[in-house]
Amino acid sequence: MDKVAPTVKTEYGEHIPNESLVINVEATAGISGIKTITVDGEDIIANQSFTVSENGTYTVTVVANNGLSTTTTITVSSFDYDTPIVTDISMKHKNSTDFARFINAITFGLFFNEEIEITVTAKDSGVSGLEKIEYRLVDENGTPITDWAEYDENNKPTVNAQFKGYVEARATDNAGNTSPVVTSKGFVLDAEKPSINVTATVNGADYDTTFTSDNIILTPNATAFSGIYEYQYRIDNGEWNVMTTESIIAIDGVHTYEFKAISNANLESDIVS
């Protein structure tokens, strides 16, 4: 006679993320011996272990030859096939205001005029935890101009040279899953003031500073890496006026005209007259 119910114990060692996991089954019975060991109905008595490749709860049943049985369950939750998510990429001036100017109507409408600090945030969707965040710079055409580098929240990356393009970022979790690459808004760093000159013409020819009864047309021309936002002028050291046309017509009399240009990065040129 054998009135002893079987016993069962399951165990596994350290799980390398997303590699198959072998779970060992240790079963005992009375003098009648073990008849079957099943995992979710599948017989494993030959090797007394089973391999899993996904999270879940697994039911192990041991039946002794005396007809008595014992059932236990084991829950596996260490598999992680979910990719992490880059949640945000932002740029700001490192040592002053957030940015110089924002023009919503254009693709590269976010302008800076001094060193930029980059911030990247990400989160893990699975159970393994976030391993690293990486970033790189790409130009305005989407061509990488730096290699992937690991992001350090305590030593954030910066950009301090003339630049027009994007930041790309990706995140990797401890299971080796890598997120899709996320691209920031297009932005421009222009730390150099515009260069400017003014031309004066009469009837399409250069004005030679002599008195004339014809209109004298004054036209400022400026260049800047970020582009020109506006021109301003003043007469005889008066108030500055924003130009609403490409040129102005000189008024009668002898006067001093001064001009300056303001870039999209909110930097002013020298004043020229």
Side-chain angles (χ1 to χ4, degrees):
M1 181 178 292
D2 179 5
K3 296 184 179 181
V4 177
T7 63
V8 60
K9 182 173 71 173
T10 56
E11 61 181 6
Y12 58 87
E14 182 179 356
H15 183 202
I16 299 174
N18 290 1
E19 291 193 5
S20 296
L21 178 62
V22 177
I23 299 176
N24 296 309
V25 178
E26 181 181 332
T28 62
I31 57 175
S32 65
I34 296 172
K35 180 179 181 181
T36 61
I37 303 174
T38 59
V39 176
D40 294 336
E42 181 180 348
D43 191 359
I44 62 162
I45 193 168
N47 48 26
Q48 296 196 11
S49 67
F50 61 100
T51 301
V52 299
S53 57
E54 60 184 19
N55 295 326
T57 298
Y58 299 88
T59 301
V60 181
T61 301
V62 178
V63 179
N65 285 309
N66 61 4
L68 299 177
S69 65
T70 299
T71 296
T72 189
T73 60
I74 182 170
T75 298
V76 176
S77 59
S78 53
F79 287 94
D80 182 358
Y81 297 115
D82 297 320
T83 58
I85 299 170
V86 175
T87 54
D88 188 56
I89 305 172
S90 62
M91 295 75 62
K92 63 179 290 293
H93 283 145
K94 184 176 182 180
N95 298 311
S96 63
T97 56
D98 285 350
F99 53 85
R101 193 189 307 279
F102 178 62
I103 303 174
N104 191 44
I106 60 178
T107 301
F108 289 92
L110 183 59
F111 295 93
F112 302 89
N113 57 28
E114 60 184 72
E115 185 176 21
I116 298 170
E117 183 177 74
I118 299 168
T119 299
V120 184
T121 56
K123 65 179 182 180
D124 188 28
S125 302
V127 297
S128 64
L130 203 62
E131 180 196 7
K132 63 182 178 181
I133 300 171
E134 297 172 292
Y135 72 95
R136 68 180 179 184
L137 300 179
V138 300
D139 68 17
E140 59 187 300
N141 299 311
T143 301
I145 59 175
T146 65
D147 294 330
W148 286 107
E150 188 163 346
Y151 174 80
D152 183 353
E153 177 67 22
N154 297 315
N155 185 24
K156 294 181 179 180
T158 59
V159 181
N160 55 21
Q162 303 286 84
F163 179 80
K164 182 178 183 180
Y166 310 88
V167 178
E168 290 185 337
R170 65 188 183 189
T172 302
D173 65 19
N174 288 305
N177 303 305
T178 299
S179 72
V181 173
V182 174
T183 303
S184 73
K185 295 178 181 178
F187 67 97
V188 179
L189 169 59
D190 180 7
E192 298 179 3
K193 63 184 179 182
S195 60
I196 185 172
N197 62 74
V198 177
T199 59
T201 60
V202 176
N203 296 322
D206 291 341
Y207 173 55
D208 61 6
T209 73
T210 61
F211 283 100
T212 178
S213 60
D214 294 318
N215 287 336
I216 302 172
I217 309 300
L218 302 174
T219 305
N221 295 281
T223 59
F225 181 74
S226 60
I228 300 301
Y229 182 71
E230 67 182 17
Y231 292 97
Q232 296 182 15
Y233 74 98
R234 67 182 177 183
I235 303 172
D236 297 332
N237 207 35
E239 294 293 324
W240 286 104
N241 301 283
V242 176
M243 292 187 64
T244 57
T245 58
E246 292 183 357
S247 305
I248 63 170
I249 300 173
I251 60 177
D252 288 345
V254 178
H255 302 280
T256 299
Y257 295 83
E258 293 178 304
F259 296 84
K260 64 182 178 181
I262 296 90
S263 69
N264 283 325
N266 206 25
L267 295 175
E268 293 189 1
S269 69
D270 294 331
I271 297 171
V272 295
S273 59

